Amino acid sequence: MSAPGRPHIPVLLRPLLKAVAPVEGIWIDGTFGAGGYSRGLLAEGAAQVIGVDRDPLVFEMAESWRGEYGERLSLVHGTFSEMDDYAAEIAPEGTVDGVVLDLGISSMQIDQAERGFSFMQDGPLDMRMSQDGPSAADLVNTLGEEELADILYHYGEERASRRIARNILKAREIEPFTTTKQLVAVIERSLPRPKPNQSHPATRSFQALRIAVNDEFGQLIEGLEAAERALKPGGLLAVVSFHSLEDRVIKRFLQARSGGGGQGSRHAPVVKSATPGFDKPSKAIPPDDEELVENPRARSAKLRVARRLDTPATPADRTILGLPAPVLDPAAKPASHKRRAR
């Protein structure tokens, strides 16, 4: 594993800590990553943080500093969709004061070319957070043109999805895809040359494949539901998202679980919640100018915060959440992960 080329800066940490102040009691950091949120919460007064991550390598990186927090920091290898189970094993039931989720891919993962997340570096076409299950190479080498185009369109909002998918199938007849460089070359040939200040042509396609490989939207909904189950009355849920698809789902989930479904549309009508699980959520909090200077990666980030009510947790109505259309056969999704407390 190569060392990260730059330090990971936790996005929206200052506004998050301000929004959930005073920080106390037990918190779950459902996307532990480089540990920035966990360390911030502990510094602000959290009695204990349970850090969860599906990527086993993040715990190796934390070995050099986690000991300074002693028993105040517990690490669990697993998915945040099961965070309520992990909390029940580590902390007394009904004692979780807060949950934080950072849905972005960390810079340390992007910088590791061997992980296959980056279209700027050549490496194996992998993209698996947990390092098990089907990889991005498996998808682009085996899926049909329509399935592949649907992934690129629904998960990446790529308008040229069918053209790219068609060219991928042509290219793999000659040679199977094994590296990110191969895929980038096909995508670049499929799209016009970008204008100045436009994003790289492969941005949307790489986002789409990463989401599909890691079942990120399935994990997101199950994670929001798990957070609702885990939080005690008065507990806080704070979620940082990085693209409009994620933010739309989070916004509609919190609207629905706080008594209503927002403005609604012909695709997602307003649905009143019989037993709201959260108080009315905050408006989305964007990065300020200072953070944008410190960390340009934060430019698309949004923070939403909601407070848990004293009501039973209930499953979300997925039909009103603005989820992308399902495009993967369940058999193609990553296998469930064994968890390991550390």
Side-chain angles (χ1 to χ4, degrees):
M1 178 183 65
S2 62
R6 51 184 164 154
H8 175 73
I9 304 173
V11 172
L12 293 174
L13 177 60
R14 286 192 300 266
L16 186 150
L17 294 175
K18 180 180 178 180
V20 302
V23 178
E24 54 191 7
I26 298 173
W27 279 74
I28 301 174
D29 180 354
T31 47
F32 180 75
Y37 289 97
S38 291
R39 300 181 85 166
L41 290 165
L42 289 163
E44 287 296 308
Q48 182 179 12
V49 172
I50 301 168
V52 179
D53 207 293
R54 67 200 299 186
D55 184 349
L57 295 183
V58 304
F59 302 116
E60 296 180 18
M61 295 181 179
E63 285 299 324
S64 63
W65 58 263
R66 59 169 293 193
E68 65 189 81
Y69 297 102
E71 295 184 357
R72 295 178 64 205
L73 178 61
S74 301
L75 302 183
V76 181
H77 176 211
T79 58
F80 60 64
S81 59
E82 298 179 281
M83 71 176 82
D84 54 323
D85 292 334
Y86 310 153
E89 294 175 1
I90 296 171
E93 185 176 355
T95 59
V96 175
D97 294 86
V99 170
V100 59
L101 299 174
D102 171 5
L103 303 179
I105 180 173
S106 73
S107 57
M108 66 181 187
Q109 290 169 322
I110 294 174
D111 286 338
Q112 295 165 15
E114 65 268 28
R115 302 299 298 277
F117 292 111
S118 176
F119 45 78
M120 301 299 291
Q121 303 180 78
D122 192 25
L125 187 56
D126 195 323
M127 301 192 193
R128 294 172 298 175
M129 295 284 189
S130 62
Q131 302 188 333
D132 63 13
S135 67
D138 293 325
L139 299 190
V140 300
N141 285 323
T142 61
L143 292 182
E145 180 180 324
E146 183 174 353
E147 291 175 291
L148 195 52
D150 281 348
I151 286 175
L152 302 181
Y153 180 77
H154 289 296
Y155 289 169
E157 298 182 300
E158 174 55 74
R159 294 180 180 179
S161 59
R162 298 206 175 277
R163 186 187 319 141
I164 294 172
R166 191 179 311 120
N167 289 339
I168 286 174
L169 263 68
K170 290 179 181 177
R172 80 188 192 194
E173 289 179 359
I174 301 171
E175 182 181 22
F177 286 88
T178 58
T179 69
T180 56
K181 183 178 179 180
Q182 287 175 279
L183 182 58
V184 169
V186 171
I187 295 171
E188 288 179 332
R189 290 198 301 269
S190 304
L191 297 173
R193 184 183 297 273
K195 297 177 182 177
N197 299 321
Q198 281 189 327
S199 59
H200 190 283
T203 301
R204 294 179 182 273
S205 294
F206 268 60
Q207 171 187 298
L209 287 169
R210 191 202 77 226
I211 288 172
V213 165
N214 296 289
D215 186 28
E216 290 183 23
F217 280 102
Q219 284 292 309
L220 173 56
I221 293 304
E222 292 176 14
L224 293 171
E225 292 175 336
E228 183 175 347
R229 295 192 300 268
L231 285 166
K232 71 179 187 181
L236 291 165
L237 170 62
V239 189
V240 176
S241 62
F242 287 83
H243 57 77
S244 59
L245 294 174
E246 288 175 339
D247 184 61
R248 179 178 65 196
V249 172
I250 297 160
K251 178 181 178 180
R252 291 186 179 179
F253 173 88
L254 292 176
Q255 286 175 333
R257 295 300 300 128
S258 61
Q263 299 297 317
S265 69
R266 64 190 179 92
H267 301 293
V270 175
V271 177
K272 296 293 183 182
S273 173
T275 55
F278 290 91
D279 201 354
K280 184 178 180 180
S282 70
K283 292 184 178 180
I285 301 172
D288 58 24
D289 292 340
E290 181 182 357
E291 177 154 13
L292 290 175
V293 171
E294 294 174 350
N295 187 11
R297 173 178 171 266
R299 64 187 179 276
S300 63
K302 291 181 179 180
L303 165 66
R304 295 186 185 273
V305 180
R307 188 176 297 274
R308 185 76 169 89
L309 297 175
D310 188 9
T311 54
T314 60
D317 181 353
R318 284 159 169 72
T319 65
I320 65 171
L321 298 182
L323 288 162
V327 293
L328 279 179
D329 184 282
K333 292 181 180 179
S336 59
H337 311 288
K338 288 186 177 181
R339 64 180 183 274
R340 181 174 73 252
R342 299 171 62 94

